[in-house]
Amino acid sequence: QVQFVESGGGLVQAGGSLRLSCAASGSTIRLSTIGWYRQAPGKQREPVAVILGSGTTNYADSVKGRFTISRDSAKNMVYLQMNNLKLEDTAVYYCNFNFDGLKLVIPITRFWGQGTQVTVSS
C-alpha cells in the first residue's frame, strides 16, 4: 500500500521556479508509472506530467517546455521541476500512480495525498 507525500510548494513570482518532490512510502515505485496532477480552486483536477519506470515522459500542452518530471528510483522519489511559472499554474499539486501509461488522464482512485500548494503571484 503505497502512500505519496508531496512537498516543495510555496509562493513564487511569475517567471520563477519551484521543484516539487513526491516521496513514496510503503512499497517501491521503481516499475510504476507516476503522474503529477493539479487542481485549482473551482476547477477539475488535471494531469500535468507522467513518467514511466523507464524514464519516458509526457506533458500537458500547458506546461510543455517549462516543467520537467523526473524520478530517482533508488530514493523512491519523483520530482517536478517547474520553470517560468505562470499565474495559471497556481494549484494544489498531487502525485499518484498513473494507470494508463503515458496517457494524460486523472487516475480513478480515492487514494490521494494532501498535495502541495503552489501559488504564483504577479
Side-chain angles (χ1 to χ4, degrees):
Q1 297 293 323
V2 176
Q3 292 183 313
F4 296 102
V5 178
E6 301 90 347
S7 62
L11 177 64
V12 63
Q13 287 189 307
S17 298
L18 284 173
R19 190 194 193 201
L20 306 184
S21 296
C22 170
S25 63
S27 183
T28 179
I29 59 169
R30 181 175 60 87
L31 301 178
S32 299
T33 302
I34 305 296
W36 281 98
Y37 314 87
R38 67 186 183 186
Q39 186 168 25
K43 299 182 68 176
Q44 293 184 317
R45 190 168 296 172
E46 63 178 359
V48 174
V50 296
I51 185 167
L52 303 181
S54 64
T56 303
T57 60
N58 194 21
Y59 299 90
D61 288 341
S62 59
V63 307
K64 196 170 298 181
R66 300 188 298 119
F67 291 10
T68 302
I69 187 171
S70 62
R71 66 194 302 160
D72 186 339
S73 294
K75 294 182 171 64
N76 226 30
M77 299 280 289
V78 179
Y79 306 97
L80 186 68
Q81 178 66 47
M82 306 186 297
N83 298 325
N84 192 25
L85 283 161
K86 302 177 179 180
L87 293 177
E88 54 263 41
D89 295 320
T90 295
V92 178
Y93 284 71
Y94 305 87
C95 59
N96 215 328
F97 293 114
N98 202 63
F99 299 114
D100 292 303
L102 290 175
K103 293 181 180 179
L104 293 166
V105 297
I106 302 298
I108 305 301
T109 179
R110 293 190 295 273
F111 305 109
W112 295 90
Q114 294 299 117
T116 185
Q117 176 72 52
V118 172
T119 303
V120 183
S121 63
S122 61

